[in-house]
Amino acid sequence: MGTGSAKRGERVAVIGMGILGAAVGWNLSRHGAEVVFVDAGRPGEGVTDWSFSWVNASNKTARRSYFDLNVAGMAEYRELCRTIGPDTWWYPHGHLRWADDPAAEAKLLATAELLAGRDYRVESYTGAEVRRRLEPALTLPDEVPVLFYPDEAWVHGRRLVGRLVGQAVASGAEQRTGTAVRDIGTGGDGAVRTLALSDGSRLDVDVVVNAAGPGASDVAGLVARHLPMRREPGAVTRVDCARVPVHRAMHAPHIEIRPDGDASVVLHSREVDALVDAGEAPAQLARLLRESARDVVPELGNSRIARTRTVNRPIPADGFPCVGAVPSVPGYYEAVSHSGITLGPVIGRLLASEILSGKPDPMLADFRPERFAR
C-alpha cells in the first residue's frame, strides 16, 4: 500500500464535478471507497458543458505517450458504453476535417499519413463525396480532400457527468454542490486530514482529488503547491435550429461545428477565441461564430443564438495532463487536463486504481505532478 493511498472504505473528497472529477469519483465509488463530491457549481455545468466535446486522438500527435493515452481514452468510452449504456450522451458518428489553403491542407494530409501508420483509422473523400454520402447540407468545393475519422465521436458532457455522479450517489457517494473548498487541513505528518467548505462545514477526509479544472491552481495553493496553468479562454456558442443540419463533429476552415442534440448546434473557433482577450463582447463573438458556420452550412444562417459562454480551459503550463499523487502531500492527488472529454473516463479509471492500490500506472508516467516543482 503506497503512501497516502485510500484503503477500501476510506473517505475521498473529489473537488470538481466536471468530467474528470465525475469519472474519478464514479470509479472510486464502484470499488468501495467512500466518496464525497464537492463543487461550487452543479455537476457538469462548468467547462465540461462548454467544450467542443470531441473524442479523438487525431489532434494529439505531438508526443507518442499523449497520443497513446488519448487512444486509450477512446477505447475507454466503448467500455463505458457497455457498463452504463450509451443512451443520450454518446454520439459515435466520426469526425470530418478539411482546409482551405495549401499549407494547412498539406499539414492535415501529413498528419493523416502519420496516423494511418499507427493503425488509426482515417478515410479520405472529396467534398462532392462527403456531400453525397455523409453531410448533404455542407457547402464545400467538389474536389477538396476531406479526412473522415470514423472512430471519433462527440459526447454530451453534462449528461454523462450527471449519469456518473448519479450512479456514484446511488451507491453511497455524497454530493456537496453550491459550496467551494476554502481550506485543506493537514496533520503533523503533512498528510491530508480535513476540508473546510464555504458553507462553514468541515469534512474529515483521507484523500483529496483536485479535479477543479480552471480552479485547480487555486486548490493546489491550499496545500502550498504551485500548479502552473495556461490562460487560454475559449468561446463556445449554442445555436437553436428547427432541424439540426449536420450529423457529426467537424473541423471546417475557420469554424468547428457539431450537433448538440435534437434542436441545437455547438460552434467554436480558435480564431474567435483569439478575440476574447481583445475585449469583444460575447454577443459579438457569437455572431462571428454563426457567420463562419453559415459559410459552411448555409442553413445555420437562420439559426437563433441561444447561449454563449467564455471559459478558461484547464491546461497545465506545458499543455499535458497533470495526474497522480503529489508525494510531498500524502493523500493529495491531481487530475487536471485539457481534452478532458477524451481523457476523463480513462484518467478516472487509472487514477482511481492508483488511489486504491498505491501503485502508479505506467500509462501516466509522462504526466506526473512532480514535473512541476512544489
Side-chain angles (χ1 to χ4, degrees):
M1 189 64 65
T3 307
S5 57
K7 301 171 190 66
R8 196 174 295 274
E10 286 192 332
R11 198 178 204 194
V12 183
V14 179
I15 302 171
M17 274 188 273
I19 183 60
L20 280 163
V24 174
W26 177 77
N27 276 284
L28 285 167
S29 186
R30 289 178 79 207
H31 292 98
E34 184 187 337
V35 173
V36 54
F37 293 101
V38 180
D39 199 306
R42 296 196 303 188
E45 292 194 356
V47 177
T48 293
D49 196 34
W50 293 95
S51 154
F52 192 62
S53 301
W54 164 42
V55 177
N56 81 95
S58 59
N59 215 33
K60 318 290 178 59
T61 55
R63 184 189 284 186
R64 184 61 193 250
S65 59
Y66 186 53
F67 171 79
D68 290 344
L69 183 63
N70 280 270
V71 168
M74 294 168 70
E76 194 74 24
Y77 269 105
R78 294 189 282 276
E79 189 59 40
L80 193 59
C81 285
R82 284 191 284 271
T83 308
I84 69 171
D87 57 51
T88 60
W89 60 267
W90 176 240
Y91 297 88
H93 306 310
H95 170 257
L96 292 167
R97 188 163 207 158
W98 70 99
D100 65 353
D101 74 82
E105 189 174 283
K107 194 173 174 186
L108 290 185
L109 295 174
T111 298
E113 196 174 325
L114 170 76
L115 290 164
R118 295 180 179 180
D119 296 323
Y120 191 92
R121 289 209 302 160
V122 56
E123 298 167 9
S124 186
Y125 297 108
T126 64
E129 287 170 330
V130 166
R131 274 202 312 278
R132 191 167 65 246
R133 299 171 56 169
L134 297 171
E135 296 285 357
L138 298 189
T139 298
L140 73 173
D142 284 353
E143 297 307 318
V144 70
V146 183
L147 300 174
F148 177 54
Y149 292 99
D151 296 329
E152 296 181 355
W154 69 270
V155 164
H156 196 297
R158 182 166 42 82
R159 289 177 187 163
L160 174 56
V161 166
R163 196 70 191 282
L164 294 173
V165 170
Q167 285 202 1
V169 168
S171 64
E174 191 182 342
Q175 185 179 334
R176 299 283 191 100
T177 54
T179 184
V181 175
R182 286 281 174 260
D183 192 33
I184 299 174
T186 54
D189 58 354
V192 166
R193 290 283 181 270
T194 59
L195 277 194
L197 305 182
S198 59
D199 64 5
S201 63
R202 186 174 290 273
L203 305 176
D204 292 325
V205 296
D206 303 288
V207 170
V208 165
V209 178
N210 177 359
S217 187
D218 293 337
V219 171
L222 299 176
V223 292
R225 168 170 158 76
H226 176 58
L227 172 58
M229 304 275 286
R230 290 185 184 176
R231 188 183 179 283
E232 281 196 23
V236 169
T237 196
R238 285 181 161 92
V239 296
D240 291 341
C241 29
R243 182 188 80 91
V244 172
V246 293
H247 305 289
R248 54 189 48 78
M250 61 188 73
H251 277 65
H254 318 295
I255 187 76
E256 300 163 22
I257 304 169
R258 71 161 170 83
D260 192 48
D262 296 332
S264 180
V265 170
V266 163
L267 306 176
H268 171 253
S269 164
R270 293 280 177 177
E271 293 168 32
V272 171
D273 285 353
L275 302 174
V276 171
D277 281 338
E280 288 283 7
Q284 174 61 8
L285 299 175
R287 283 192 292 271
L288 290 169
L289 287 166
R290 186 176 60 181
E291 282 169 24
S292 287
R294 185 184 58 203
D295 292 341
V296 180
V297 185
E299 243 180 274
L300 291 176
N302 302 319
S303 61
R304 185 183 71 86
I305 294 167
R307 290 181 297 153
T308 304
R309 182 82 58 85
T310 299
V311 294
N312 281 322
R313 295 190 181 87
I315 311 180
D318 61 4
F320 293 105
C322 183
V323 184
V326 174
S328 56
V329 188
Y332 169 79
Y333 293 78
E334 290 176 343
V336 187
S337 182
H338 189 29
S339 298
I341 289 288
T342 299
L343 296 174
V346 71
I347 286 176
R349 178 175 61 80
L350 296 176
L351 184 57
S353 175
E354 288 191 5
I355 291 169
L356 293 167
S357 71
K359 295 179 186 147
D361 191 290
M363 186 164 272
L364 296 173
D366 280 355
F367 311 112
R368 295 294 173 193
E370 299 100 291
R371 71 185 191 273
F372 300 119
R374 185 168 179 233

